[in-house]
Amino acid sequence: MREGDQPTVINLFLDGWGRRYKDLPDGRRQVVSFFVPGDLCDLNIFILRQMDHSIGALTPLTIAEIPRSAFEEIIDRHPRITQALWWEALVAAATQREWTMSLGQRNAAERIGHLLCELFLRLRTVGLTNGTSCPFPLTQSVLGEATGLSLVHVNRTLQDYRAAGMIVLKQRELTIPDLRALMEASMFDANYLHLDHEGRHFDANI
Amino acid sequence: MREGDQPTVINLFLDGWGRRYKDLPDGRRQVVSFFVPGDLCDLNIFILRQMDHSIGALTPLTIAEIPRSAFEEIIDRHPRITQALWWEALVAAATQREWTMSLGQRNAAERIGHLLCELFLRLRTVGLTNGTSCPFPLTQSVLGEATGLSLVHVNRTLQDYRAAGMIVLKQRELTIPDLRALMEASMFDANYLHLDHEGRHFDANI
DNA sequence: CGTTCCCTTGATCTTCGTCAAGCGGTGTGG
DNA sequence: CCACACCGCTTGACGAAGATCAAGGGAACG
């Protein structure tokens, strides 16, 4: 899905990862968010006229396409789902603010550590982690596009974390032996994910 | 208003400027958005339990405090206002994505130029510009906190723009003689502000 | 009249980017 | 079945954007 498109359906990620990104005319690209299973995208089709960014797959995907009309009907009849959608939008905005913070103030190691913590926690809330490990399909190049760092520097930073025993990352699987330590190193505070409202979020699915 | 607070009212900026910001434990600060007259803040009080950032004034303010209850009643009765609130939230999110792009990919000159264009256009849509000029109460220090640059580098970058005749900035007033030129220099594309829906936004006030 | 805030400018240092080369695994076509 | 191409990862050398340190100036305000 490309910038400028007029989307007609809402997509629910059932399996696989995706990303939102924006390109500059000269080719620079910034990934502005990731999608993991359970995420919803393109709620804005209700209000905004056209896409101001692009969306792409990072792995093979299984997606549920929900037509706009079906969604509108649900919203009319089910206020708790509407509330869940607000929650979704507000948490996405809070996450975007945190990314702004990362890119503006954190150094390379902090940015990458922070991103790893965020993704791990998001996967854990949807039950996709296995102890201290989780699937991790992002290439170093994509990590660079998300953190505003060069591929080379991402690599060196990951090496440093590996050498310190703080992460194991190979064969598309990430292990964080001591999550608390990584959170501390990258000054990660999970409050922006608003997981305390996870319950309310899931309630809407009843 | 501080991170961790539980807000009880929604604030509408009638006059004056404000900013959202986040602080790191070691004192680094990132401004993540600005408020200008006409902006609303803290819609999240409907859904999220506590603030994940702080909000502060940049000038003396005139603000309307709308109690949560009054807001809920309005939302029940006036679907067009509810739609306007969605618009507000989605545009705020789109703006946050654009800031992510700026901090991740744009260099110092582009970041600052881009921010000046954004603020000028936002002020123009609410009728606060005067030809090619607008009020501009931000200090160079605040500009640095918003763009992730040091105060010193903000200063040098502004000097460059001045020397090129692209901006005049003094006595808290900004003049952009050739907006189109500045937009081009900073690769500014206004699509993320979704001004095409301005009409719908205002309709809600009828 | 002095203090404070904001702006300005110079010199030096650091982080990260760029350029370049090479390695290993995997998939594909001859 | 092998060869080659491609993709992702790794490492070294060098360069540049921007940070930091330092000092001083001007205007507004008490």
Side-chain angles (χ1 to χ4, degrees):
Chain A
M1 188 167 309
R2 298 277 168 195
E3 185 169 344
D5 284 2
Q6 300 182 22
T8 56
V9 297
I10 286 162
N11 295 295
L12 173 62
F13 281 75
L14 298 177
D15 188 55
W17 291 39
R19 72 197 189 288
R20 260 191 241 272
Y21 60 95
K22 298 184 72 128
D23 290 323
L24 288 178
D26 64 3
R28 280 176 277 174
R29 168 171 296 184
Q30 177 70 34
V31 169
V32 296
S33 62
F34 289 110
F35 296 111
V36 299
D39 286 341
L40 216 44
C41 73
D42 304 322
L43 285 183
N44 40 355
I45 82 167
F46 288 113
I47 315 283
L48 302 180
R49 212 168 268 168
Q50 63 168 37
M51 298 284 287
D52 56 40
H53 58 270
S54 305
I55 292 181
L58 287 164
T59 67
L61 291 179
T62 307
I63 279 195
E65 292 191 342
I66 306 171
R68 180 184 168 133
S69 57
F71 231 82
E72 282 172 343
E73 197 182 309
I74 290 172
I75 284 179
D76 277 348
R77 300 209 190 151
H78 304 282
R80 301 192 77 182
I81 294 186
T82 305
Q83 173 142 5
L85 295 179
W86 269 104
W87 183 91
E88 163 90 15
L90 292 175
V91 170
T95 302
Q96 207 65 56
R97 286 193 292 270
E98 190 66 34
W99 281 45
T100 304
M101 169 64 126
S102 271
L103 290 168
Q105 302 299 327
R106 287 188 244 260
N107 63 26
E110 291 163 347
R111 284 185 216 177
I112 289 180
H114 194 276
L115 179 56
L116 297 184
C117 288
E118 176 184 313
L119 290 171
F120 185 85
L121 283 186
R122 286 172 59 191
L123 290 171
R124 198 169 68 179
T125 66
V126 290
L128 291 176
T129 52
N130 186 348
T132 58
S133 300
C134 68
F136 198 82
L138 306 184
T139 65
Q140 294 183 358
S141 169
V142 171
L143 278 176
E145 289 172 352
T147 53
L149 298 168
S150 68
L151 186 162
V152 173
H153 204 66
V154 168
N155 182 280
R156 293 193 220 275
T157 305
L158 287 175
Q159 297 297 347
D160 291 345
Y161 272 129
R162 276 196 265 250
M166 297 186 71
I167 64 168
V168 180
L169 176 52
K170 60 185 175 197
Q171 256 113 37
R172 316 278 98 135
E173 185 177 68
L174 168 68
T175 302
I176 306 176
D178 184 350
L179 180 59
R180 209 146 286 284
L182 187 60
M183 286 170 70
E184 182 136 356
S186 53
M187 287 187 268
F188 183 93
D189 179 341
N191 69 343
Y192 72 94
L193 293 173
H194 294 276
L195 299 176
D196 52 334
H197 263 226
E198 182 193 335
R200 196 186 281 213
H201 186 215
F202 287 134
D203 277 356
N205 292 323
I206 295 174
Chain B
M1 189 169 307
R2 297 277 167 197
E3 183 169 347
D5 283 1
Q6 299 182 24
T8 56
V9 296
I10 287 162
N11 294 297
L12 173 61
F13 282 75
L14 298 176
D15 189 54
W17 292 39
R19 71 196 190 289
R20 259 192 242 271
Y21 61 94
K22 299 185 72 129
D23 289 323
L24 287 179
D26 64 4
R28 282 175 277 174
R29 169 171 295 184
Q30 177 70 34
V31 169
V32 296
S33 61
F34 289 111
F35 296 111
V36 299
D39 286 340
L40 217 44
C41 72
D42 305 321
L43 285 184
N44 41 353
I45 82 168
F46 288 113
I47 315 283
L48 302 180
R49 212 167 269 169
Q50 64 168 38
M51 298 284 287
D52 55 40
H53 58 270
S54 304
I55 292 181
L58 287 164
T59 68
L61 291 179
T62 308
I63 279 196
E65 292 191 341
I66 307 171
R68 180 183 168 132
S69 56
F71 231 82
E72 283 171 341
E73 197 182 308
I74 290 172
I75 285 180
D76 278 348
R77 300 208 189 152
H78 304 282
R80 302 193 75 183
I81 294 185
T82 306
Q83 173 142 4
L85 295 178
W86 268 104
W87 183 90
E88 164 90 15
L90 293 175
V91 170
T95 302
Q96 207 66 55
R97 285 193 293 270
E98 190 66 35
W99 280 45
T100 303
M101 170 62 126
S102 269
L103 291 168
Q105 301 299 326
R106 286 188 243 261
N107 63 27
E110 291 163 348
R111 283 185 215 177
I112 289 180
H114 193 276
L115 179 57
L116 297 184
C117 288
E118 176 183 311
L119 291 170
F120 185 84
L121 282 186
R122 286 172 59 190
L123 290 171
R124 198 169 68 179
T125 67
V126 290
L128 291 177
T129 53
N130 187 349
T132 58
S133 299
C134 68
F136 197 83
L138 307 184
T139 66
Q140 294 183 359
S141 170
V142 171
L143 277 175
E145 289 172 351
T147 53
L149 299 168
S150 68
L151 187 163
V152 174
H153 204 66
V154 168
N155 182 282
R156 294 194 221 274
T157 305
L158 287 175
Q159 298 296 346
D160 291 344
Y161 272 129
R162 278 196 262 250
M166 297 187 71
I167 66 167
V168 180
L169 176 52
K170 59 184 176 198
Q171 254 112 37
R172 315 277 98 133
E173 185 178 67
L174 168 67
T175 302
I176 306 176
D178 184 349
L179 180 59
R180 208 145 287 284
L182 187 60
M183 287 171 69
E184 183 136 356
S186 53
M187 288 188 267
F188 182 92
D189 179 341
N191 68 343
Y192 73 95
L193 293 173
H194 294 276
L195 299 177
D196 52 334
H197 265 224
E198 182 192 333
R200 195 186 280 212
H201 185 215
F202 285 134
D203 277 357
N205 292 322
I206 295 174

